[in-house]
Amino acid sequence: MTTEITPVIPVPERAARVFTALAAVATAGTALTAWTWTADFPGDLTFYGSPAGLQWLTLTGGLITAVLTLARYGIPGLRWTSPAGGNNGILLAALGTAAVSWFAIIAIAVDLGGLANLEPGGWLAGLTSLLAVTGALGLPLDRRTADSLGKPNYWWLLAGVVGYAVHHLITRTLRLAKIERKLPPARELPSWAEVLLIIAAFAVGLFAITFGIDTEYGELFTGYLILAGFTVAALAKTGLLQRLRALTVKHRPVATGAAFSAAAAFPFTQTSDQYTSVAANILIFATVALGLNIVVGLAGLLDLGYVAFLGVGAYAAALVSGSPASPIHVAFPFWAAALTGAAAAMVFGVLIGAPTLRLRGDYLAIVTLGFGEIFRITMNNLNGTTGPNVTNGSNGIPRIPDLQILGFDLGKKHLVGGIELGRFSNYYLLMLIITAVVVLVFARVGNSRIGRAWVAIREDETAAEAMGINGFRLKLLAFALGACLAGLAGTVQAHVSYTVTPDQYTFAEALPPNSAFLLAAVILGGMGTISGPLVGATLLFLIPKKLEFLSNYQLLAFGIALIILMRIRPEGLIANRRNQLEFHEPVIPAQSAPEDAVPLTKAGA
């Protein structure tokens, strides 16, 4: 009878792990110290024992790094946060914490005029965060070849020597050697615990998104983006995001209800309409991006003038809204105005698509780009001078009245559960319902026979037609459905912005939504998915808004961020399985040759 020997964690790895955890905790502790002596820096980082601004990000990053590091020691309650068991997540979390800390140091030096404005707490944050990265580099990291998997990284002697000394001291005093055995997999949770975990995950997501939207100055938002990017990547490497995704699939009704409830709770976390206006516009942008995802992501049709359909819906709703500037002088109820905008956009989609969808690739893109510019120029010329007076030309249609739904005036403040909801909060909740409808339509169509036919056309239109698929008819259907969803969002946008002008619907000159940003949201988020365009639209709307402090360098920084993101994730932030396989080659384990194998040179001889 043979006895199976349980392998133990190598000493260098244990040393580096203890060293990383201690450095991460020390980094989090520096958030309780003063980083600068003057309150001129945004956030006022001059207090002891009271984190503020960028210090909260360093505190969060340090704690996340410590938790992921200690999870490999089998501490009860923490093992579940690292189901994959790799060390790459620890390194990414440590790098994110160091990036945020050093960004704060550089920002203080730039804003206040030199490193002399730093207090010892700021220097400690930079030093301890670098020590955490050094310790994480001493762990055996996952490589892309099988030969290097599981091997310690002995090159980082500093982490090994210092970490071993610290580990030896802790082992002697606290007897941590008892938990050095190979860790068992995290146990399965009962159903009620999984449901609670899903709810908690969406609650944390709501808090993180709310924090990002509510950032009051550009430095804090930039640090938030840095930490959020590294943290999401770290949690993906540890396998936590995959496990949460599996739970949402297992409990889909609960996950859907939790997601909608978390989104609906956002206005109740705000004390004013300052940021709910941003959230309402994000939903409009995201809904239009979902409509474009049908055209680009499912059917594979490159549309560069898609924002024109948003403009068609907005103008149609503005003309029948009862605005004093409208030459029609009618006032439709909301449901009629929404149907008018959606129908008008769908009709324009059919009229434009019928003669142009026989084109493919770049030719189709050029034609759709021309349609977008023709729409803008036409709206400018319908001013009563160069054409009939329909749109008031460049002045647009102003003074669009607020919506009234079942006697509920969305332009007035209302008390709900003792919390006052302003105008933009009302429109946010309305747009949330419309977004949910669009998501439902996208999900049903994407999983239907028509959706599979669209994917076949996207992959190879010639082969799809050879199998009996009517490519032209299905492409026209995708064009019409995408235009209809964009027109539906345009009806709400017209009332949110109070006015509709041609300059709002350009290819790239204006702030989002425009055609270039809509296409970037779909590609950046992940083509063919539901959550991808939502995430992409949120980022592409928030980043220009929050980077206004960069002034003339705003677009430069924005472009660099896009290049980095697309270099790291060419398949999109949230991509489907097909795109992941296309952009990333699978890791093929190296196989050792048999001992009796004859070398090729000898066999040839």
Side-chain angles (χ1 to χ4, degrees):
M1 180 177 178
T2 60
T3 304
E4 182 179 357
I5 300 175
T6 304
V8 298
I9 302 175
V11 172
E13 180 180 352
R14 286 185 273 131
R17 194 175 304 283
V18 174
F19 181 78
T20 304
L22 291 176
V25 173
T27 304
T30 60
L32 302 177
T33 63
W35 287 10
T36 180
W37 60 271
T38 175
D40 293 338
F41 186 79
D44 194 359
L45 312 182
T46 60
F47 294 97
Y48 284 87
S50 179
L54 290 167
Q55 291 176 329
W56 280 113
L57 301 180
T58 298
L59 174 63
T60 304
L63 292 179
I64 292 175
T65 305
V67 168
L68 295 181
T69 306
L70 296 177
R72 296 288 294 143
Y73 261 109
I75 295 179
L78 298 184
R79 179 71 182 98
W80 207 89
T81 61
S82 183
N87 294 320
N88 287 32
I90 300 174
L91 176 60
L92 287 172
L95 286 173
T97 307
V100 169
S101 301
W102 280 97
F103 170 76
I105 293 174
I106 296 173
I108 291 173
V110 172
D111 289 357
L112 300 182
L115 294 174
N117 295 280
L118 281 170
E119 287 287 289
W123 291 112
L124 285 176
L127 175 62
T128 54
S129 62
L130 289 181
L131 291 178
V133 173
T134 304
L137 287 170
L139 298 173
L141 304 178
D142 300 329
R143 307 298 185 192
R144 299 194 64 82
T145 58
D147 292 337
S148 61
L149 290 177
K151 291 184 178 180
N153 188 347
Y154 292 102
W155 293 103
W156 296 92
L157 297 179
L158 176 62
V161 174
V162 179
Y164 178 73
V166 176
H167 169 75
H168 184 71
L169 177 62
I170 296 178
T171 302
R172 286 293 185 89
T173 55
L174 301 180
R175 301 182 183 277
L176 288 178
K178 295 182 179 179
I179 56 175
E180 290 176 5
R181 294 187 302 272
K182 185 178 180 180
L183 300 178
R187 63 184 181 88
E188 295 294 330
L189 299 177
S191 296
W192 62 268
E194 292 178 345
V195 171
L196 290 179
L197 188 61
I198 292 174
I199 296 175
F202 280 104
V204 173
L206 172 63
F207 175 79
I209 294 175
T210 302
F211 183 88
I213 295 177
D214 291 354
T215 51
E216 298 179 352
Y217 46 94
E219 292 84 353
L220 181 59
F221 180 75
T222 305
Y224 165 80
L225 280 183
I226 294 173
L227 181 62
F230 277 100
T231 300
V232 171
L235 296 182
K237 287 295 184 181
T238 61
L240 181 59
L241 294 185
Q242 289 81 350
R243 175 165 289 185
L244 291 176
R245 187 180 297 113
L247 291 181
T248 57
V249 173
K250 181 180 179 180
H251 304 279
R252 190 178 298 275
V254 175
T256 303
F260 186 83
S261 300
F266 174 77
F268 297 92
T269 64
Q270 306 298 306
T271 57
S272 66
D273 261 2
Q274 180 180 0
Y275 298 110
T276 50
S277 62
V278 177
N281 284 285
I282 286 176
L283 284 182
I284 294 174
F285 189 20
T287 303
V288 181
L290 273 175
L292 180 60
N293 199 22
I294 294 178
V295 180
V296 177
L298 294 182
L301 305 174
L302 185 56
D303 189 351
L304 298 181
Y306 186 77
V307 74
F309 298 122
L310 175 68
V312 170
Y315 265 101
L319 289 172
V320 299
S321 63
S323 170
S326 173
I328 299 180
H329 302 296
V330 295
F332 285 5
F334 170 69
W335 63 269
L339 291 178
T340 300
M346 183 174 62
V347 169
F348 270 86
V350 173
L351 293 177
I352 299 301
T356 61
L357 286 179
R358 299 189 186 277
L359 302 173
R360 298 185 184 181
D362 299 337
Y363 301 100
L364 177 62
I366 293 173
V367 170
T368 55
L369 176 60
F371 164 66
E373 290 302 303
I374 289 172
F375 168 78
R376 181 180 61 85
I377 295 172
T378 302
M379 295 300 103
N380 267 319
N381 289 334
L382 296 180
N383 54 10
T385 303
T386 57
N389 185 17
V390 179
T391 63
N392 297 324
S394 59
N395 294 324
I397 302 177
R399 292 178 291 172
I400 300 175
D402 285 305
L403 289 173
Q404 293 188 7
I405 303 176
L406 301 177
F408 188 87
D409 190 349
L410 271 67
K412 297 181 179 179
K413 296 181 179 181
H414 301 274
L415 286 177
V416 179
I419 299 177
E420 185 179 76
L421 297 181
R423 176 178 180 271
F424 288 106
S425 298
N426 299 330
Y427 279 107
Y428 170 85
L429 295 175
L430 172 63
M431 201 61 222
L432 181 62
I433 297 175
I434 295 177
T435 303
V437 172
V438 173
V439 168
L440 179 63
V441 171
F442 184 93
R444 294 298 183 183
V445 172
N447 295 325
S448 67
R449 182 166 58 102
I450 296 176
R452 291 191 292 271
W454 283 337
V455 174
I457 293 174
R458 181 192 68 191
E459 297 299 324
D460 193 331
E461 185 175 350
T462 303
E465 290 180 349
M467 297 300 295
I469 296 177
N470 191 330
F472 174 75
R473 186 179 65 181
L474 287 175
K475 288 193 296 183
L476 186 60
L477 178 61
F479 221 67
L481 181 58
C484 179
L485 297 180
L488 180 61
T491 59
V492 181
Q493 189 216 21
H495 293 84
V496 171
S497 60
Y498 277 133
T499 195
V500 177
T501 60
D503 294 336
Q504 294 175 338
Y505 311 103
T506 61
F507 174 71
E509 287 86 356
L511 290 176
N514 56 54
S515 293
F517 275 73
L518 287 170
L519 184 61
V522 174
I523 297 175
L524 175 65
M527 293 191 298
T529 63
I530 294 177
S531 54
L534 297 177
V535 174
T538 302
L539 290 177
L540 292 182
F541 192 91
L542 274 180
I543 290 176
K545 290 284 186 182
K546 298 295 185 176
L547 293 185
E548 293 178 351
F549 74 100
L550 293 179
S551 185
N552 297 331
Y553 300 98
Q554 178 182 357
L555 288 180
L556 175 62
F558 179 70
I560 294 174
L562 284 183
I563 292 173
I564 293 175
L565 286 175
M566 295 310 298
R567 177 62 183 86
I568 297 174
R569 296 280 294 183
E571 71 277 20
L573 295 176
I574 304 177
N576 55 27
R577 184 62 177 169
R578 179 190 298 272
N579 288 340
Q580 286 180 332
L581 293 177
E582 289 179 355
F583 283 98
H584 298 283
E585 297 180 0
V587 179
I588 301 177
Q591 298 180 357
S592 58
E595 295 180 359
D596 57 349
V598 180
L600 184 60
T601 54
K602 294 183 178 180

